[in-house]
Amino acid sequence: MKSGILKRLEVDQGDSIFGDSKGRWTNADLEPVPPNKRKWGAISFVAYWISDAFNAATWEFASSIIAIGLTWRESLSIVAVAFLTVSIVISFNGATGVLYHASFPVLSRASWGFWGSYVAIISRAILAIFWFAVQNMNGANTVRVMIGAIWPSFLTLPNHIPEDQGIATNTMISFFIFWLSHLPFLYMHPNNLRWLFMAKSIIVPIAFIAILIWAFRSTGGGDIFDQKATASGSAYSWAYLSSLTSVIGNYATLSVNQPDFSRYSRVSVKWQLLYVPMLPIIFTFISFIGIAASSAGEQKYGTLEWDPMALISNWENRACRFFAAFAFALAALGVNISANSLSAANDLMAMAPRYINIRRGQILCAVLAWALVPWKILASAGSFLNFMSAYSIFLGPIAAIMVMDFWVIHGMKYDVLSLYRPDGVYRYGSTGVNWRAIVAFVVGVAPSLPGFINSINPSIQVGVGVHPYQFGWLLGFAGTSLVYVSLSVAFRAKETYIERAILPDEIYGAHADSQGIVVEGVLGKDEEQAELGEEKGYKKWVDRVL
């Protein structure tokens, strides 16, 4: 009976040419993306990042920086330096996804080992599911403003939920509506999500720029631009470093997430270098909009509101409130999918590939969001929220191990077949764990732990031990890189060094062209040319442009 139920729960998939399709290490969604399913072009990646950048979190970057005694000038320089730093890591890890067309959980097997990779996979899954839930609450606030703009009585709707639950009836309705709006997109294949990112990259920037124009037309930008720094000396330096780490931490997940999207690339790996100049410019500009709009709001309404929904709620024009809130709702929706649900889906799928594919993984992530009751987390569990916010100190070492293993240790040479076969070159002895990665990870995280504990419970005094935590991501990345490279050179895992890279196109090509073998989703050369010749009209043009 039990085995029959489990059998029906298995995902549908054909035979695998990379590994055992009925085993625990692969399924159709985990395998390298076949050539004819790679749809993301250069414009798709540009739209993805513009889409990801325009959101409330980027808007609010400057708030915490200015609050600790720095000025708007320092806040913008911190955002620029932070994204210059993280964009380099994103480009490196994104390039690995382009070359091997595999996701983060699969690529991590090369550096961590098959069983060791669960350290990285579980760490990211926890973070992704948590922030998916919290981002749903942020989206609920935008929906509440939208509905309130149409029916003002909604904002004063009688509350029938106990106050100790941390959420009112109107917010719960908004939460459900925003959560429900995810479902069609969670069911979409990542190739089709580029249309969402394209729409968001057009609609949301227009709204943000309109708000910037409003800020300068209505008040001239406000008084915040005349502010002087209140921090000085060593306090200034530590404030700058801690703010830099905080901004990097907000996007630390994307430093390891990028292969989940870049695996669908149909363009040269060189396009991943575009992120290095692009991300600092875009994110700095959005932070500037947040500063100007919040300062204008203070001058006009008497209160400095860093929360864009609180600022927008002051507007008298209901149509403006609705469309501005809609733009922020679309922004939250796009970020929740790009940074959270798809990451969680890939991780959950890697843990149970026989039963979870990418669609089931995203739906499961959405269901778990309710189990986390994020409204209670935001209302009462301050220490838990601090814990999850500080969790990025674990992602710096994970990103470092991935970058160093592929680019430095193995010289861009991976065996794609062995990424799906636990008895291949990445078996790391009988344990399936690369102890070098584990040691480097622990060494990279350890110096930040005293400050990490203090951030969760400020009553625990750690003295100067708080300082490593204040630049924990940078310290973790640098320390882990040094230790991992040193251990990998001193204690070589000889079986993992190969003479040449074995790429997925080589495997797909050999099977597609061999006599009597047809690989699902892969066309032989003649068939592929014939299909391309049959594609005509608008769809062909759009696919080629994107």
Side-chain angles (χ1 to χ4, degrees), residues 27-51:
N27 65 25
D29 287 337
L30 273 177
E31 292 187 352
V33 180
N36 66 325
K37 292 186 179 180
R38 300 169 193 166
K39 302 293 186 181
W40 284 55
I43 294 179
S44 296
F45 286 108
V46 171
Y48 166 80
W49 277 108
I50 292 176
S51 162

Side-chain angles (χ1 to χ4, degrees), residues 119-325:
V119 173
I121 292 169
I122 293 172
S123 295
R124 193 182 72 153
I126 292 171
L127 196 64
I129 295 170
F130 171 84
W131 284 117
F132 181 89
V134 171
Q135 188 74 284
N136 264 273
M137 272 304 296
N138 294 335
N141 293 330
T142 66
V143 172
R144 189 179 68 245
V145 173
M146 289 169 61
I147 298 176
I150 302 173
W151 299 288
S153 60
F154 181 76
L155 300 176
T156 56
L157 193 71
N159 181 37
H160 300 290
I161 299 176
E163 289 187 11
D164 62 356
Q165 294 302 305
I167 190 170
T169 299
N170 56 6
T171 307
M172 178 63 82
I173 293 171
S174 302
F175 181 90
F176 177 72
I177 292 172
F178 185 72
W179 178 87
L180 200 64
S181 70
H182 285 76
L183 297 185
F185 301 103
L186 299 181
Y187 192 75
M188 283 185 182
H189 189 275
N191 272 328
N192 297 324
L193 287 175
R194 60 201 173 116
W195 299 105
L196 169 65
F197 301 139
M198 180 62 69
K200 182 185 167 186
S201 69
I202 296 172
I203 296 170
V204 179
I206 290 174
F208 274 53
I209 293 171
I211 293 172
L212 178 64
I213 294 171
W214 164 83
F216 282 101
R217 289 281 294 174
S218 61
T219 65
D223 299 327
I224 202 168
F225 295 104
D226 299 324
Q227 180 193 27
K228 304 294 182 183
T230 58
S232 60
S234 62
Y236 177 93
S237 301
W238 286 116
Y240 194 99
L241 273 176
S242 63
S243 298
L244 182 66
T245 299
S246 176
V247 174
I248 291 176
N250 272 277
Y251 274 78
T253 52
L254 292 174
S255 66
V256 296
N257 286 8
Q258 191 58 22
D260 295 338
F261 286 96
S262 64
R263 64 189 298 225
Y264 298 99
S265 173
R266 61 174 174 79
V267 294
S268 169
V269 68
K270 294 178 181 177
W271 280 103
Q272 297 297 305
L273 293 173
L274 180 65
Y275 306 147
V276 178
M278 184 177 74
L279 299 191
I281 293 171
I282 294 175
F283 280 89
T284 304
F285 174 63
I286 299 167
S287 295
F288 175 76
I289 294 176
I291 293 170
S294 300
S295 179
E298 180 184 29
Q299 187 169 325
K300 192 173 181 66
Y301 304 115
T303 305
L304 181 62
E305 297 285 6
W306 287 105
D307 178 2
M309 288 303 99
L311 174 64
I312 290 168
S313 296
N314 290 317
W315 294 355
E316 295 180 0
N317 189 299
R318 289 162 60 184
C320 288
R321 290 207 308 269
F322 176 85
F323 286 111

Side-chain angles (χ1 to χ4, degrees), residues 477-488:
F477 189 93
T480 298
S481 298
L482 179 62
V483 173
Y484 184 72
V485 171
S486 299
L487 290 176
S488 297

Side-chain angles (χ1 to χ4, degrees), residues 281-459:
I281 293 171
I282 294 175
F283 280 89
T284 304
F285 174 63
I286 299 167
S287 295
F288 175 76
I289 294 176
I291 293 170
S294 300
S295 179
E298 180 184 29
Q299 187 169 325
K300 192 173 181 66
Y301 304 115
T303 305
L304 181 62
E305 297 285 6
W306 287 105
D307 178 2
M309 288 303 99
L311 174 64
I312 290 168
S313 296
N314 290 317
W315 294 355
E316 295 180 0
N317 189 299
R318 289 162 60 184
C320 288
R321 290 207 308 269
F322 176 85
F323 286 111
F326 172 78
F328 277 95
L330 182 59
L333 174 66
V335 169
N336 223 12
I337 291 172
S338 65
N340 298 322
S341 72
L342 196 67
S343 303
N346 277 290
D347 294 333
L348 294 169
M349 180 170 59
M351 287 187 269
R354 289 183 64 182
Y355 304 101
I356 301 176
N357 57 19
I358 203 161
R359 284 174 175 167
R360 290 185 183 181
Q362 292 198 87
I363 298 298
L364 181 58
C365 173
V367 171
L368 290 173
W370 285 92
L372 289 175
V373 287
W375 48 89
K376 296 201 73 170
I377 293 173
L378 292 173
S380 59
S383 60
F384 184 64
L385 188 61
N386 289 339
F387 169 80
M388 296 307 298
S389 298
Y391 204 76
S392 64
I393 64 168
F394 298 102
L395 296 180
I398 290 173
I401 290 169
M402 291 184 67
V403 171
M404 293 300 138
D405 187 78
F406 182 70
W407 295 95
V408 178
I409 301 303
H410 290 103
M412 301 185 291
K413 297 176 184 177
Y414 278 171
D415 178 354
V416 70
L417 285 174
S418 291
L419 292 174
Y420 297 90
R421 299 175 180 179
D423 57 349
V425 299
Y426 306 116
R427 59 187 179 276
Y428 291 104
S430 59
T431 62
V433 177
N434 182 7
W435 62 268
R436 304 157 192 81
I438 301 297
V439 171
F441 177 76
V442 171
V443 171
V445 169
S448 299
L449 288 180
F452 178 66
I453 294 169
N454 175 258
S455 73
I456 299 170
N457 187 354
S459 64

